[in-house]
Amino acid sequence: MSQITNPTSADPLSPLHGQVALITGSSSGIGAATARQLASVGATVVINSVHSVSAGEALAGELPGADYVQADVADEEQAHRLIETVIQRHGRLDVLVNNAGATVVIPHGDLEAATPEIWRRIFDVNVIGTWQVTVAAVPHLVASGRGQVVNVSSIAGERPTGSSIPYACSKAAVSHMTRLLANTLGPDIRVNAVAPGLVDTPWTAEWDTVRAYVQAQAPLRRIATSEDVAEMIYGLIRASYVTGEVVLVDGGLNLR
C-alpha cells in the first residue's frame, strides 16, 4: 500500500487541487479512509452520514476545507438535498463516491430470516440510495467537465458469498448499475466501482471465523484495511481512460 502524503488543498500541484468530492457514508471505515486519501491529494471533501454525526463532524474538522452534511441517501428528498447542499457550499461537484451501505448478517441457508422487510431495507440504502444520489449529482458532474462516480460494491456482488443473500444481491445490482451508467453517461462522466472482500472495519470487528478463513486462503494472507480500498478508489479516480470497471480488492481471495 502506498504512503498517504499530506499536501494541503491549496497546493496547486496536488492531483485533485480545486476539485470537490462527496463521499457518502464517510464518518468511519472505508468512507473515512477515502475522505482522508482524497483530501491528502488536494480535494475538498464533503463528509456524509445518517448516524454518527459527531464522528463525521470531527473528521471534517481534521481535513482542510472539508465539511459535513447529515443525510439519509435512502430518502429521496434527503438525497437531493445532500447534493444541493454541496453545490450551495462549494459551487461544484467533481467526484461522487457512493459508499453508504447497510447489511444484516444472515446465514445463506436461513431463507426465512431474510424477510422482505430486510430485503427492502438493504436495497433502499445500497441500491436506491446509490441511484438517487447519482441522479441528483449528474448535472453537476457533467458541468465539472471531468466528473466521475466511484461506487463501493463488494466481492459478494461478484461471487456467491457475503453477509446475507439480500446484501449480496444488492451489491450485484450496484456492480451492474455501474456498468450501465458508464455506458450511458460517457463520455461526460466516468463510472467505476470497487468490490472489496473482507475489510477491517467496525462492521466486521467480530467476524472472527471469516477473518481466519481469509487470512488462511487469500494469496496475500491478510484482510484488507480501509486504506487499501481507499487507495483503489483514488486509483480509479486517476485512471482517466477507465470506465465501467468493477475492480476486486480482495487480496486475491477470488482465485481460491
Side-chain angles (χ1 to χ4, degrees):
M1 184 177 67
S2 65
Q3 186 71 28
I4 295 178
T5 57
N6 291 290
T8 69
S9 59
D11 182 355
L13 298 180
S14 297
L16 297 187
H17 172 72
Q19 295 195 39
V20 175
L22 166 64
I23 306 102
T24 67
S26 50
S27 61
S28 65
I30 293 170
T34 301
R36 290 190 175 98
Q37 172 71 75
L38 299 188
S40 78
V41 292
T44 297
V45 298
V46 179
I47 312 300
N48 157 259
S49 67
V50 61
H51 305 298
S52 305
V53 175
S54 59
E57 291 175 337
L59 176 59
E62 296 174 15
L63 305 175
D67 64 345
Y68 171 82
V69 183
Q70 182 183 19
D72 181 359
V73 301
D75 180 278
E76 184 177 11
E77 181 178 343
Q78 292 186 50
H80 282 266
R81 178 177 57 79
L82 172 60
I83 298 299
E84 290 169 0
T85 302
V86 172
I87 299 304
Q88 288 169 0
R89 293 182 183 179
H90 300 284
R92 62 184 298 145
L93 178 61
D94 304 278
V95 178
L96 169 62
V97 180
N98 284 308
N99 173 70
T103 191
V104 177
V105 178
I106 302 171
H108 288 200
D110 191 354
L111 303 186
E112 294 295 328
T115 63
E117 178 185 1
I118 287 172
W119 277 85
R120 293 186 186 99
R121 187 193 322 160
I122 291 174
F123 266 68
D124 276 348
V125 178
N126 297 0
V127 182
I128 305 303
T130 295
W131 176 260
Q132 290 177 158
V133 175
T134 303
V135 169
V138 161
H140 308 290
L141 295 172
V142 171
S144 161
R146 51 187 173 181
Q148 57 185 298
V149 178
V150 181
N151 295 322
V152 178
S153 184
S154 169
I155 190 175
E158 306 294 314
R159 302 287 189 273
T161 184
S163 52
S164 67
I165 288 179
Y167 173 78
C169 289
S170 76
K171 291 302 187 177
V174 169
S175 290
H176 201 49
M177 185 194 306
T178 298
R179 301 179 183 104
L180 291 165
L181 286 174
N183 191 45
T184 299
L185 297 177
D188 298 308
I189 301 172
R190 292 191 300 112
V191 187
N192 292 291
V194 293
L198 183 66
V199 182
D200 187 12
T201 70
W203 266 17
T204 63
E206 298 180 1
W207 296 9
D208 294 336
T209 301
V210 180
R211 285 169 177 265
Y213 174 80
V214 172
Q215 289 168 340
Q217 294 297 321
L220 295 188
R221 293 292 191 272
R222 68 176 178 87
I223 65 174
T225 66
S226 295
E227 289 74 20
D228 290 322
V229 183
E231 182 179 55
M232 180 53 68
I233 290 171
Y234 175 51
L236 286 170
I237 291 169
R238 292 294 305 278
S240 61
Y241 197 59
V242 176
T243 196
E245 292 299 317
V246 179
V247 180
L248 295 178
V249 187
D250 68 344
L253 183 62
N254 69 94
L255 303 173
R256 303 291 173 82

